């Protein structure tokens, strides 16, 4: 049995156990790792994530007698692992984040003028939670797709992503951008996804066959992410307002250079990261497709330093791990912090033969680390879809 089959068996069993009935349909949405363009999605910039073969699966079946919407989450502990509400009534908040992801999708669909039909769902996944690999987006997009298909809405990938983002922004309370949901909804197998976060236009970027994407889990789980994340976003918006532009994407670097001395030093550093990161996205996309590992080494290092020093979302242990892997890799690839930060994962894009070097860099770090790091290489997969389950 492969990874997905095991997950399907678990979610099917969870459905049977919760409702005493068989599910009729299955939907899946992947997590993602971001290769470049960090903390630029909510500044309307370009990003380059890649969907990974870890996912959330939703099993769906007809409603019970009460004709309400019922959900059971198999990974969320016992206490409030079930929820039930009337999808036609105004949506109120649930008792926990996962419930608000589900309710939020119904609420967001209602705002788009769509009605969700009653159903029963069970949800399970294997995207690690709190690791910076977008378990929340996978969850939201899988639920949105299941509701869209079940209710005959046939929504496209960008609408599913928007709906899942609205659920997270307005019902869960995280001011996240659109990158994770778009990566989960719209990715193309074997490719990274170059995404314009303003227009939502996407261009699949092939990954050179000599390269592979490795996720290095620091083992450090994020804490206080929501408040720190929302604060970073507010700081970026304050700089945009200061310069009178819609978003930092529209801030001309020359105008920034001229006016930056009027800014508070923290705001100046945040904007410096965003403007620098915006310039790195296209060259990284080109290096990824062309297999230029020396360019990847330089650009990903610059990005890491900028996230650590100017955006202040790294930790000393993460900087040590990145330095150790970077030293071991040399010019064979690049490595940097990925995702929101404050813990989570590094991403390495390197020659396939350099896997041993990445392991050596991690082993060296682990000799003195409080929490050991570990690496896994992922295949870039396609975005959310209905899946067959025999
Ligand atoms: C989180 C958010 C995204 C994005 C990244 C940082 O994953 O959900 O919208 O802002 O952080 O790039």
């Amino acid at each position: 049995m492969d990874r997905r089959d095991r997950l399907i068996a678990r979610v099917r069993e969870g459905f049977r156990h919760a409702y005493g009935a068989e599910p009729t349909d299955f939907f899946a949405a992947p997590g993602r790792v971001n290769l470049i363009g960090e903390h630029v999605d909510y500044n309307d910039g370009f990003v380059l994530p890649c969907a990974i073969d870890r996912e959330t699966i939703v099993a769906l079946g007809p409603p019970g007698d009460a004709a309400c919407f019922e959900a059971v989450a198999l990974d969320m502990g016992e206490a409030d692992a079930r929820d039930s509400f009337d999808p036609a009534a105004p949506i109120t908040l649930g008792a926990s984040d996962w419930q608000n992801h589900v309710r939020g999708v119904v609420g967001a669909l209602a705002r788009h003028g769509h009605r969700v039909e009653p159903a029963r769902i069970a949800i399970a996944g294997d995207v690690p939670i709190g690791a910076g690999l977008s378990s929340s987006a996978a969850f939201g997009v899988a639920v949105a797709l299941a509701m869209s298909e079940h209710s005959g809405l046939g929504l496209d990938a960008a609408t599913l992503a928007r709906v899942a983002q609205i659920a997270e922004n307005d019902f869960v309370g995280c001011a996240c951008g659109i990158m994770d949901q778009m990566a989960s909804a719209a990715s193309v197998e074997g490719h990274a996804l170059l995404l314009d976060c303003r227009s939502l236009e996407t261009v699949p970027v092939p990954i050179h066959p000599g390269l592979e994407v490795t996720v290095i889990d620091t083992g450090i789980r994020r804490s206080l992410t929501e408040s720190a994340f929302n604060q970073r976003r507010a700081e970026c918006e304050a700089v945009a307002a200061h310069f009178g532009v819609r978003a930092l994407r529209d801030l001309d670097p020359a105008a920034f250079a001229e006016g930056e001395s009027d800014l508070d030093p923290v705001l100046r550093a945040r904007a410096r990261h965003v403007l620098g990161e915006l310039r790195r996205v296209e060259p990284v996309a080109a290096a990824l497709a062309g297999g230029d590992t020396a360019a990847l080494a330089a650009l990903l290092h610059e990005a890491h330093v900028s996230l650590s020093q100017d955006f202040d979302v790294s930790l000393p242990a993460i900087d040590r791990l990145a330095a150790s892997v970077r030293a071991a890799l040399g010019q064979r690839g690049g490595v940097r912090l990925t995702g929101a930060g404050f813990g989570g994962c590094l991403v390495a894009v390197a020659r396939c033969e350099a896997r041993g070097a990445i392991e050596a860099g991690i082993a060296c770090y682990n000799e003195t680390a409080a929490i050991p790091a570990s690496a896994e290489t992922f295949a870039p997969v396609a975005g959310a879809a209905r899946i067959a389950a025999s």
Side-chain angles (χ1 to χ4, degrees):
M1 231 193 223
D2 74 2
R3 183 198 59 78
R4 174 177 272 181
D5 290 339
R6 279 197 301 276
L7 200 51
I8 291 173
R10 191 154 77 81
V11 75
R12 186 198 295 276
E13 189 46 45
F15 190 99
R16 280 184 188 140
H17 183 76
Y19 307 122
E22 282 298 310
T24 50
D25 301 273
F26 292 82
F27 304 89
R32 65 97 189 92
V33 60
N34 187 23
L35 306 183
I36 196 73
E38 216 64 88
H39 290 279
V40 303
D41 60 347
Y42 52 81
N43 291 298
D44 278 1
F46 285 80
V47 294
L48 188 69
C50 157
I52 58 174
D53 52 345
R54 290 289 179 280
E55 61 196 341
T56 296
I57 293 186
V58 172
L60 181 143
D65 297 339
C68 55
F69 200 95
E70 290 180 76
V72 58
L74 304 177
D75 305 316
M76 301 297 165
E78 284 297 302
D80 38 33
R82 288 186 75 151
D83 195 17
S84 158
F85 57 91
D86 177 358
I91 298 300
T92 53
L93 287 185
S96 63
D97 279 358
W98 81 262
Q99 293 178 353
N100 287 329
H101 276 289
V102 176
R103 288 168 176 241
V105 167
V106 179
L109 285 169
R111 269 189 228 169
H112 277 74
H114 299 306
R115 226 184 93 171
V116 171
E117 298 298 328
R120 298 201 281 206
I121 60 171
I123 314 155
D126 62 3
V127 186
I129 295 173
L133 300 177
S134 292
S135 58
S136 296
F139 190 102
V141 170
V143 168
L145 175 65
M147 289 180 181
S148 165
E149 294 298 293
H150 168 68
S151 306
L153 307 178
L155 302 178
D156 62 12
T159 308
L160 293 173
R162 274 279 185 237
V163 160
Q165 184 201 15
I166 292 171
E168 191 148 352
N169 289 168
D170 295 359
F171 288 79
V172 181
C174 177
C176 65
I178 191 73
M179 167 172 74
D180 305 345
Q181 293 79 5
M182 277 299 288
S184 184
S187 283
V188 175
E189 190 180 354
H191 293 69
L193 192 71
L194 182 61
L195 166 67
D196 179 338
C197 296
R198 176 168 281 166
S199 69
L200 298 193
E201 272 168 37
T202 58
V203 179
V205 175
I207 299 179
H208 187 277
L211 298 181
E212 60 186 17
V213 175
T214 301
V215 172
I216 303 168
D217 190 346
T218 64
I220 305 168
R221 290 295 170 259
R222 327 185 282 227
S223 55
L224 290 178
T225 317
E226 243 150 57
S227 57
F229 182 91
N230 293 352
Q231 186 194 348
R232 294 298 183 284
R233 182 170 182 159
E235 288 162 352
C236 292
E237 288 169 357
V239 179
H242 174 88
F243 284 99
V245 292
R246 178 172 157 196
L248 287 185
R249 171 192 180 140
D250 305 307
L251 179 55
D252 177 9
F256 176 65
E258 204 167 297
E260 65 170 317
S261 57
D262 296 340
L263 284 175
D264 165 271
V266 169
L267 295 188
R268 197 188 306 166
R270 304 296 189 252
R272 201 162 47 223
H273 164 72
V274 173
L275 295 188
E277 189 77 352
L278 287 168
R279 283 195 295 268
R280 284 185 281 272
V281 176
E282 268 198 57
V284 168
L288 183 71
D292 183 348
T293 55
L296 287 168
L299 290 161
L300 268 53
H301 176 57
E302 259 180 41
H304 183 86
V305 172
S306 174
L307 280 172
S308 176
Q309 294 179 3
D310 282 341
F311 219 65
D312 195 19
V313 293
S314 188
L315 298 170
I318 296 179
D319 289 346
R320 282 199 297 280
L321 179 57
S324 186
V325 174
R326 174 169 174 256
L329 269 178
Q331 300 294 296
R332 288 174 290 182
V335 62
R336 70 172 190 89
L337 174 61
T338 185
F342 314 103
C345 293
L346 301 176
V347 62
V349 185
R351 284 197 210 296
C352 303
E353 322 80 78
R355 207 184 279 191
I358 294 175
E359 291 292 351
I362 295 170
C364 179
Y365 163 85
N366 282 348
E367 279 170 21
T368 55
I371 303 174
S374 58
E376 205 169 334
T377 296
F378 287 104
V381 298
R386 179 190 288 272
I387 53 174
S390 49

